[in-house]
Amino acid sequence: MSSRDSASSEVTPELLLRAYACGIFPMSESADDPGLFWVEPEQRGVIPLDGFRISSRLARTVRSDVFTVTVNTAFKRVMAECAAPKPGREDTWINTRIRDLYGELHEMGHAHSVEVWQDDTLAGGLYGVSLGRAFFGESMFHHARDASKVALVHLVARLIAGDFKLLDTQYVTDHLLSFGAREVPRARYRKLLDASLDGIAEFDKLPTDFPLRGATMLDIIAGRNGAS
């Protein structure tokens, strides 16, 4: 379900947070379209934090620290990369207004990025919104194999450590299915969302001023899965 907002200039970061709390999020028809429309899928994608799956091959990559992973050091660059055209997807739903709004949310402490570096090159990453004990994943990108997957592993470990309850992926893709993503009906999602908004999580419970080792993040995830 979606509804158009004919006056997107009236959308503020505060209104955006209220929309997330109601289970809706904005998109645009294209990068060049100045308008926004609100979306509330009939089936919502979520990744259970106590059922996050990592293949043995990916776990070896994470543990090897072939990538360096940082947090909130290049938010605008991550958004720009997520909005960039890609083979098979020449246009994007991330327009200038969305980039500006999420940039403001980032300054407010409600939007975060995970960056994956190969040497000094930004090889992948993701960004999303935190509210209460929910994290709403927005988009991810990669230029090197496994870079976005490594970003997701680091994100999940950070959410577990920070006492988050809900990881919303909006939709489920084949890529996310491999991590344990599933679809839940709108009514069920709203119950999960309401429960996750009751309380406060800490995205920066783990340090954000220096990169963390992959083995540390895998141990955090294994501890949560082992306790479930």
Side-chain angles (χ1 to χ4, degrees), residues 15 31 53-54 59 62-63 65 67 74 78 92 107 143 161 165 172 176 185 193 199 209 214 217-218 220:
L15 177 61
R53 299 199 298 260
I54 307 171
V62 173
R63 190 174 286 107
D65 290 321
F67 297 110
V78 168
T92 176
E107 293 175 2
H143 295 307
K165 294 182 65 176
V172 172
L176 294 176
L193 176 60
D209 53 349
M217 309 311 255
L218 291 172
I220 291 171

Side-chain angles (χ1 to χ4, degrees), residues 70-75 106 111-115 203 208:
T70 59
V71 174
N72 289 337
T73 65
F75 183 85
H106 176 62
H112 306 280
S113 59
V114 178
E115 305 93 16
F203 190 83
T208 59

Side-chain angles (χ1 to χ4, degrees), residues 23-100:
I24 61 178
F25 56 88
M27 296 183 74
S28 177
E29 288 289 355
S30 70
D32 297 326
D33 185 346
L36 303 179
F37 59 92
W38 297 109
V39 181
E40 186 183 19
E42 291 283 352
Q43 297 287 327
R44 193 69 164 246
V46 300
I47 296 180
L49 294 175
D50 57 1
F52 187 67
R53 299 199 298 260
I54 307 171
S55 70
S56 57
R57 185 191 66 80
L58 179 59
R60 287 193 298 270
T61 299
V62 173
R63 190 174 286 107
S64 73
D65 290 321
V66 64
F67 297 110
T68 299
V69 182
T70 59
V71 174
N72 289 337
T73 65
F75 183 85
K76 290 183 178 180
R77 285 185 63 185
V78 168
M79 280 207 75
E81 291 288 355
C82 288
K86 297 176 177 61
R89 194 206 71 184
E90 299 305 316
D91 212 339
T92 176
W93 55 268
I94 304 173
N95 65 6
T96 300
R97 183 60 182 141
I98 286 176
R99 288 168 68 171
D100 289 344

